Amino acid sequence: MYTKFQQFLQNELTSIDTAGLYKRERVIVSPQGAEITLANGNKALNFCANNYLGLANNPELIAAAHEALDSHGYGMASVRFICGTGDLHKKLEEKIAEFFGTEDTILYAACFDANGGVFEPLLNEEDAIISDALNHASIIDGVRLCKAVRYRYANADMADLEKQLQDAQAQRFRLIVTDGVFSMDGNVAPLDKILELAAKYDAMVMVDESHSAGVVGQTGRGVTELYDKKGQVEIITGTLGKAFGGAIGGFTTGKKEIIDMLRQRSRPYLFSNSIPPLVAAAGVKMVEIMQNSNALQDKLHFNTEYFITKMKAAGFDIKPTKSAICAVMLYDAKLSQVMASKLQEEGIFVTGFYFPVVPKDQARIRVQLSAAHETEHLDKCIAAFIKVGKELGVVS
Ligand SMILES: *Cc1c(COP(=O)(O)O)cnc(C)c1O
């Protein structure tokens, strides 16, 4: 039975590889951090993790996780509503709501699940979802699982959003959905204008703060802080897998009745396991660290500004960003791959992206800054960019 299918898969895999799109894993044998060790013993400076606040290997989080491992054991072996809710899960939900200034929170195993389970319980064929064209895959999948009528607007294009909202006036309820930060350019959703249009056309707003929580806004409360709109969007989703410790877990936070309905009907919550207590405990510690001090955010913002200023001064073409994502534009697909691998030879881990991941002729190297980086790490990275950039004629 398998022979024909095997042949089919082998051909597909070969064509993926020939197109240069085959994904290969790079094995790391050290904890995640600014400096990592690879399986072959080589060390590298990591500029492609979502470890924005450097919490992935933070001693206070590790201690909190150890403590919970001793006091609460390893796993819950249950979904939340049967017997998978511990005091630490409730505590973390409260803490996340405090952090964003929202009414209630529901935890999921991942933000992929939060987004997968947010639309279908709330909206049906009488309603409309108006979604940014560059929203994350998990939002696209979540929208597909829902019967609401779908509208799409060009990335952060407010004229197009207005047009889609006009077209959606016949529906009962309207929900505008956007990423807070878009992961390829690092640009921030224009939430002030989105909220104006939402008010004008009677729509609700959902923001996925996965790349912005902990990062954007002076105290890292995300795009609602950046635009001074805390508590003004109905739904926020986010991940514990990026700035918030980097382990695993996701959440939806927002209006009380919305969260309540998700607890009744959201399928990834009802039919998938509870996160381990040690992750919840470290999550509580993570929010406390941010409530007690702004040092990590300050350092991240300093690092981002430092890196971008020096890279621009060296002649690199950097996309405007308000996040910790810095797109170094090269435009040429081949060049982006050659440059990324030469940087890797210099011990700098970055990723080159090209079509279809980004638009045609918009190839780039994406650099992700972190509070884990010290100035010497940034200087080494910039020096490597300049060295390789000169070799390849990107800068003079
Ligand atoms: C990373 C990311 C997710 C997925 O988060 P996980 O917790 O890893 O599943 C969802 N949405 C956006 C915008 C993301 O960047």
Side-chain angles (χ1 to χ4, degrees), residues 110-113 115 136 138 179 181 208 210-211 239-242 249-250:
C111 187
F112 209 103
D113 291 325
N115 286 332
H136 190 262
S138 55
D179 279 11
V181 163
D208 179 341
S210 288
H211 276 289
T239 180
L240 304 176
K242 294 188 171 110

Side-chain angles (χ1 to χ4, degrees), residues 23-328:
K23 294 175 185 67
R24 287 181 177 80
E25 295 170 348
R26 304 185 282 199
V27 178
I28 298 170
V29 296
S30 62
Q32 186 62 279
E35 291 183 81
I36 50 173
T37 310
L38 308 179
N40 63 7
N42 287 353
K43 296 210 184 300
L45 292 182
N46 196 354
F47 282 87
C48 56
N50 300 315
N51 186 23
Y52 295 121
L53 297 175
L55 291 174
N57 193 30
N58 176 282
E60 285 182 82
L61 263 60
I62 294 170
H66 271 299
E67 222 171 273
L69 193 55
D70 291 337
S71 61
H72 286 69
Y74 176 60
M76 290 307 292
S78 172
V79 300
R80 284 289 301 281
F81 81 100
I82 296 182
C83 55
T85 298
D87 52 337
L88 295 168
H89 298 92
K90 297 309 282 182
K91 184 90 205 219
L92 177 56
E93 287 178 340
E94 258 172 54
K95 277 285 172 194
I96 289 172
E98 263 176 42
F99 183 85
F100 288 102
T102 46
E103 295 173 5
D104 198 3
T105 305
I106 176 174
L107 291 175
Y108 289 86
C111 187
F112 209 103
D113 291 325
N115 286 332
V118 69
F119 302 105
E120 185 260 350
L122 300 174
L123 304 170
N124 68 23
E125 60 277 0
E126 295 177 70
D127 306 314
I129 297 172
I130 304 111
S131 181
D132 189 290
L134 290 190
N135 278 343
H136 190 262
S138 55
I139 294 179
I140 295 169
D141 285 9
V143 170
R144 278 188 192 141
L145 293 171
C146 173
K147 294 202 171 69
V149 183
R150 299 169 205 166
Y151 298 85
R152 210 168 82 124
Y153 62 97
N155 178 231
D157 181 334
M158 293 300 99
D160 196 14
L161 173 58
E162 180 156 23
K163 183 177 173 303
Q164 302 306 320
L165 281 164
Q166 287 164 352
D167 289 351
Q169 285 306 296
Q171 271 87 42
R172 179 182 58 169
F173 302 122
R174 280 158 292 283
L175 177 65
I176 303 168
V177 188
T178 182
D179 279 11
V181 163
F182 295 92
S183 66
M184 286 302 144
D185 286 7
N187 59 317
V188 172
L191 188 64
D192 51 346
K193 304 203 180 72
I194 290 174
L195 281 167
E196 268 172 38
L197 288 172
K200 185 169 172 192
Y201 293 98
D202 190 21
M204 298 177 285
V205 176
M206 166 176 152
V207 182
D208 179 341
E209 296 266 27
S210 288
H211 276 289
S212 38
V215 174
V216 172
Q218 204 208 330
T219 68
R221 265 57 174 175
V223 295
T224 61
E225 179 185 7
L226 184 70
Y227 290 104
D228 199 15
K229 305 288 180 198
K230 261 179 92 176
Q232 292 187 38
V233 305
E234 282 75 14
I235 302 170
I236 289 173
T237 59
T239 180
L240 304 176
K242 294 188 171 110
F244 280 6
I248 191 85
F251 57 85
T252 301
T253 189
K255 299 294 181 200
K256 182 176 162 300
E257 299 77 9
I258 291 177
I259 304 305
D260 213 3
M261 186 55 77
L262 295 176
R263 284 188 208 284
Q264 308 313 311
R265 298 214 176 127
S266 179
R267 292 163 70 84
Y269 172 84
L270 295 173
F271 298 108
S272 189
N273 205 24
S274 196
I275 60 167
L278 66 100
V279 172
V284 170
K285 175 57 77 179
M286 172 275 299
V287 178
E288 283 170 1
I289 289 173
M290 288 192 245
Q291 286 173 330
N292 291 336
S293 156
N294 208 46
L296 293 174
Q297 273 81 14
D298 290 345
K299 190 168 171 201
L300 175 62
H301 295 153
F302 173 86
N303 283 353
T304 308
E305 181 77 31
Y306 182 93
F307 183 82
I308 289 175
T309 306
K310 296 236 162 172
M311 287 288 283
K312 280 188 179 160
F316 286 101
D317 177 0
I318 310 284
K319 278 244 177 191
T321 179
K322 280 203 180 76
S323 65
I325 292 169
C326 168
V328 182

